[in-house]
Amino acid sequence: MDLTVSLWFLPVLGSALGLGFYDLCKKHAVRENSVMPVLFFATLCGSAVFAAMTFLFGDWHSCVFCSAHTWILILLKSLLVSASWICVYYAMRDLPISLASPIRASAPLWTFLGSMLLYSEFPTLLHGIGMFSIFAGYYFFSVFGKLEGFSLRSSRGMHLIILGTLLGAGSALYDKYLLGILHLPRGTVQFWFSVDLVWILGLAYALRVWCFGHKHPFQWRWSIPATGILLIAADYLYFYALSLPDTYISVVSLVRRCNCLVTFFVGVIWFKEKNIRKKAFALLLIILGVFMLAMGGK
């Protein structure tokens, strides 16, 4: 493995592990619970921890102070991610985690196609084989969903997880633009992204209550703050990887979305889910693809 790969691969792998446990806590938090307060309080907890760490240990001056133009650019990312999260959280409440998380992980397919069109990123042959293997694994996960009664045509949860996935792919492409082309400081991006998410989701929560009232009771769980904190840690490693020179957003997104491995192995035990052997075959394809990406170089 050459030096360039080692620079981005380890932080992205750490981000993938963090996302895996983030998905598990998210599923635990929204299961038979009201979605919008879970999403708001999880985001509030994560953002509060990140802000505190920034002021205590980081270069808070460079993170907090930015131009109005920079703030608007980051605000657009926050709006995009907020829409994606609302879709994904509602889908996670309805779908099995061993199905929802791998479908969510198909975002790199759309990120890869977008990166070729927007950034002219053309992977090596080994990268291409690895991507094909991962895409095949994602496809089999979607097929196995039909065995559990979740159809792409009729399931609201499937519709929401796909829409959230497409919005997430757009966010990944926008991240590359902010960090890789405009070279905005990653601390500034993550700080204002975290702050903006709180008031955007808080406003969405208030509008939800004002328009529809409290349809589902809300129950506080330990997994709510854990969800927010794990995401902040995973995003920190992700932004660091993207800030490195010549990082391929298509490859980074693929490795990061292998968080479904953690979700699968822990989730099937925690939530006692079905069709384990068939889903394990799809996971094997994903593991093989990640190995090829790690060995493929630039």
Side-chain angles (χ1 to χ4, degrees):
M1 186 184 302
D2 64 34
L3 180 59
T4 305
V5 170
S6 65
L7 288 175
W8 64 259
F9 186 73
L10 290 179
V12 174
L13 183 61
S15 180
L17 292 173
L19 281 180
F21 288 104
Y22 157 75
D23 274 346
L24 291 168
C25 289
K26 179 168 60 178
K27 175 65 175 179
H28 181 270
V30 299
R31 197 177 190 184
E32 300 179 356
N33 206 355
S34 183
V35 171
M36 286 306 299
V38 168
L39 178 53
F40 170 70
F41 286 116
T43 304
L44 177 63
C45 292
S47 298
V49 169
F50 180 76
M53 296 297 289
T54 299
F55 280 103
L56 290 174
F57 305 108
D59 186 5
W60 65 269
H61 188 274
S62 63
C63 292
V64 173
F65 294 100
C66 66
S67 67
H69 177 68
T70 297
W71 179 78
I72 291 174
L73 290 173
I74 300 172
L75 176 63
L76 293 176
K77 170 181 169 56
S78 302
L79 290 169
L80 187 61
V81 171
S82 295
S84 175
W85 284 2
I86 290 172
C87 292
V88 170
Y89 269 65
Y90 274 100
M92 289 288 283
R93 185 175 64 181
D94 299 335
L95 299 175
I97 193 170
S98 58
L99 177 61
S101 184
I103 292 177
R104 173 75 172 137
S106 67
L109 170 62
W110 312 108
T111 303
F112 170 63
L113 296 175
S115 67
M116 287 198 301
L117 294 174
L118 298 175
Y119 304 126
S120 300
E121 291 188 1
F122 297 100
T124 65
L125 177 61
L126 195 56
H127 280 159
I129 297 173
M131 289 177 183
F132 178 80
S133 179
I134 292 175
F135 295 157
Y138 295 154
Y139 169 76
F140 283 115
F141 268 117
S142 67
V143 171
F144 298 149
K146 294 181 180 179
L147 300 176
E148 301 183 25
F150 297 98
S151 170
L152 286 174
R153 292 185 179 181
S154 59
S155 172
R156 186 192 75 158
M158 294 289 279
H159 296 161
L160 287 174
I161 200 72
I162 291 172
L163 178 58
T165 297
L166 292 174
L167 291 170
S171 174
L173 292 169
Y174 192 53
D175 289 340
K176 177 65 175 180
Y177 174 71
L178 295 178
L179 299 171
I181 295 179
L182 298 183
H183 300 292
L184 298 183
R186 70 175 189 275
T188 302
V189 172
Q190 190 170 8
F191 178 83
W192 283 110
F193 166 66
S194 301
V195 171
D196 290 342
L197 278 176
V198 172
W199 69 263
I200 292 172
L201 292 173
L203 179 60
Y205 176 29
L207 289 173
R208 173 71 173 78
V209 173
W210 183 63
C211 294
F212 303 102
H214 295 278
K215 289 188 176 181
H216 294 90
F218 170 64
Q219 180 183 21
W220 177 265
R221 297 170 182 168
W222 64 265
S223 51
I224 294 175
T227 298
I229 294 170
L230 283 168
L231 181 62
I232 286 294
D235 277 351
Y236 179 84
L237 294 172
Y238 167 66
F239 285 134
Y240 171 73
L242 281 186
S243 68
L244 297 174
D246 300 321
T247 302
Y248 280 20
I249 181 61
S250 55
V251 179
V252 167
S253 296
L254 280 168
V255 177
R256 188 174 189 246
R257 282 303 170 189
C258 288
N259 64 297
C260 61
L261 302 177
V262 176
T263 305
F264 179 85
F265 287 115
V266 181
V268 294
I269 298 173
W270 193 354
F271 299 109
K272 300 179 181 179
E273 303 201 349
K274 305 175 183 177
N275 298 312
I276 305 307
R277 292 183 180 179
K278 291 174 179 161
K279 292 176 182 177
F281 170 71
L283 281 177
L284 180 62
L285 292 175
I286 294 174
I287 293 171
L288 179 62
V290 172
F291 177 76
M292 292 180 181
L293 290 177
M295 300 301 294
K298 274 181 56 178

